[in-house]
Amino acid sequence: MIQATPTTTTTSRVNVPQRPANELAMSITGRPYISWSQVNCLRRCPRQFAARYVERAEPEFLPEALKFGRAVHAAIETFCRGLMEGIELSAGELQVAYQQDWDDARDTDVPIKFNKGQDAATLADLAGRMLTAFVGSPLARPSGRILAIEETVCGAVDDELPDVLARVDMVHADRECLYVVDYKTSRSRWNPAKAREAGEQLILYRDLLAGMARSLDKPVRLGFGVLTKAKHPVAEYLAVPDEPGHAERLVATIRQVWAAITAGNFYPNPSPMTCSTCGYKGQCQAVGGG
C-alpha cells in the first residue's frame, strides 16, 4: 500500500523522509524523490533524462506544445480556483490568465520553437477557442465539491524506491465518488483506448490519494479532461478503467526505470517524433547520440 503525504508546498521544498532511496535520488538529480514526469522522460529517451535531470543542462529551445499546454493548464487552474470561491470566470478572463502565463519571465532566456505556420498570436487565438469550448462543456461544471486544485502529493510506492511525487490537476467529490481528473491538450480527440493507455499516470495519482479516499469513504473514479487543438476545439471527459493488477504493473515499471537511473544507463533513443521537439538534441549529438 502506498503511504502518501499530501502537501501544497512547491516541489523544491517537499518534505520527504530521509530514506536511503530518497537520499540516493537526491545525489543523482538534486531531488529526494522521482516524479511521473521523470519516469516518462526516461522511458521516452534516457539521454534526454540525463540532460534534463542529472546534468541539469539548459535546453536550446522550448517546444511550443510544452509552453502552450502549460499556459492552457494555468488558465484552467484559474477557472477551477474561481469555482472553489463561488466565482465562474468567463472565457475572456481565462484568455487573460493564459496570456499572463505565456508571458511569464521564467522562459525569457530560452527561445520557443514554433511549428510551421504558428506563432504566439496564432496560438493565443487557438487558446481562446479552446478555453471557450472548455467553459461551455461539462468539464467546467464538476459535480459535488472541489477538494483540491494542482495538489502536490508525495508518497512511497516501494521500500527500495524513492518517494514518488505527483501534481494532481483536480480532485472533486459528490455523494457517490471521489474524482481525480487530469487535463490534457491534444491535436485530436481521444478515444477510450487512448485514455486507458495514458491511464498509468492517474492510477498512480489514485493510490497516492488513497488516504483522502478512505477519509471520505468513497470509491475513486479516474478520468482525463481533454481539449483538442483544432479549428473547432472539443472539450470532453474520458474515464480511465480500473483494471486488476494495473497498480502492481505500474510499480514494476517504476522499479525498472529506477534501476536504469541508478545504473546511469542513459543511452540516446533517437526518433523523428522525440528528437524534433527535444531541446537537448544538439547536446545529444555532441556526445554521439541522435
Side-chain angles (χ1 to χ4, degrees):
M1 176 63 67
I2 292 174
Q3 301 298 319
T5 305
T7 176
T8 55
T9 60
T10 62
T11 55
S12 62
R13 295 184 285 111
V14 170
N15 185 21
V16 295
Q18 290 185 324
R19 299 192 296 114
N22 291 345
E23 293 173 355
L24 182 55
M26 185 71 182
S27 70
I28 297 172
T29 67
R31 304 175 182 185
Y33 53 80
I34 55 176
S35 66
W36 182 249
S37 294
Q38 289 176 317
V39 170
N40 257 351
C41 183
L42 188 131
R43 293 164 80 184
R44 182 171 57 248
C45 179
R47 181 60 220 158
Q48 184 186 88
F49 175 93
R52 182 175 177 182
Y53 294 108
V54 180
E55 299 158 9
R56 297 167 224 172
E58 185 79 6
E60 300 147 27
F61 62 84
L62 191 67
E64 72 162 46
L66 179 61
K67 187 171 178 68
F68 179 80
R70 191 171 63 194
V72 171
H73 266 75
I76 294 174
E77 177 186 352
T78 298
F79 181 88
C80 294
R81 292 195 184 282
L83 289 182
M84 290 184 76
E85 298 174 6
I87 302 169
E88 185 167 336
L89 300 176
S90 68
E93 290 169 312
L94 297 195
Q95 182 81 32
V96 172
Y98 163 89
Q99 196 63 50
Q100 288 175 336
D101 191 88
W102 181 274
D103 294 336
D104 193 290
R106 64 180 176 266
D107 295 327
T108 54
D109 294 332
V110 183
I112 303 169
K113 182 179 180 180
F114 291 98
N115 294 334
K116 185 177 180 180
Q118 296 282 26
D119 57 24
T122 61
L123 290 175
D125 181 69
L126 173 60
R129 299 197 306 272
M130 292 171 66
L131 293 170
T132 297
F134 169 80
V135 169
S137 77
L139 292 179
R141 293 176 289 280
S143 62
R145 182 166 61 99
I146 298 176
L147 303 178
I149 301 294
E150 293 293 327
E151 180 80 356
T152 300
V153 185
C154 196
V157 300
D158 184 277
D159 289 341
E160 296 183 1
L161 292 174
D163 283 18
V164 176
L165 182 136
R167 193 163 177 84
V168 185
D169 287 349
M170 153 85 85
V171 182
H172 64 99
D174 57 21
R175 292 183 178 180
E176 298 180 356
C177 298
L178 178 73
Y179 300 88
V180 179
V181 182
D182 193 76
Y183 298 107
K184 300 291 186 185
T185 57
S186 174
R187 289 185 178 182
S188 58
R189 295 179 72 171
W190 283 23
N191 56 30
K194 174 64 177 176
R196 178 184 179 278
E197 177 186 332
E200 287 179 322
Q201 175 184 8
L202 288 181
I203 295 293
L204 177 64
Y205 291 5
R206 178 199 64 191
D207 289 351
L208 289 171
L209 289 166
M212 181 184 290
R214 285 194 299 270
S215 68
L216 295 172
D217 192 26
K218 296 179 185 294
V220 179
R221 297 289 180 265
L222 308 175
F224 291 104
V226 182
L227 283 72
T228 60
K229 297 185 282 188
K231 183 177 181 180
H232 301 290
V234 175
E236 59 187 341
Y237 177 86
L238 288 101
V240 174
D242 189 3
E243 300 175 349
H246 205 156
E248 290 76 12
R249 294 194 298 272
L250 177 56
V251 172
T253 295
I254 298 174
R255 287 195 196 103
Q256 293 176 326
V257 167
W258 179 238
I261 293 172
T262 56
N265 193 8
F266 303 134
Y267 59 89
N269 183 29
S271 74
M273 181 174 294
T274 300
C275 294
S276 64
T277 59
C278 179
Y280 305 98
K281 182 177 180 180
Q283 299 168 49
C284 180
Q285 291 174 331
V287 296

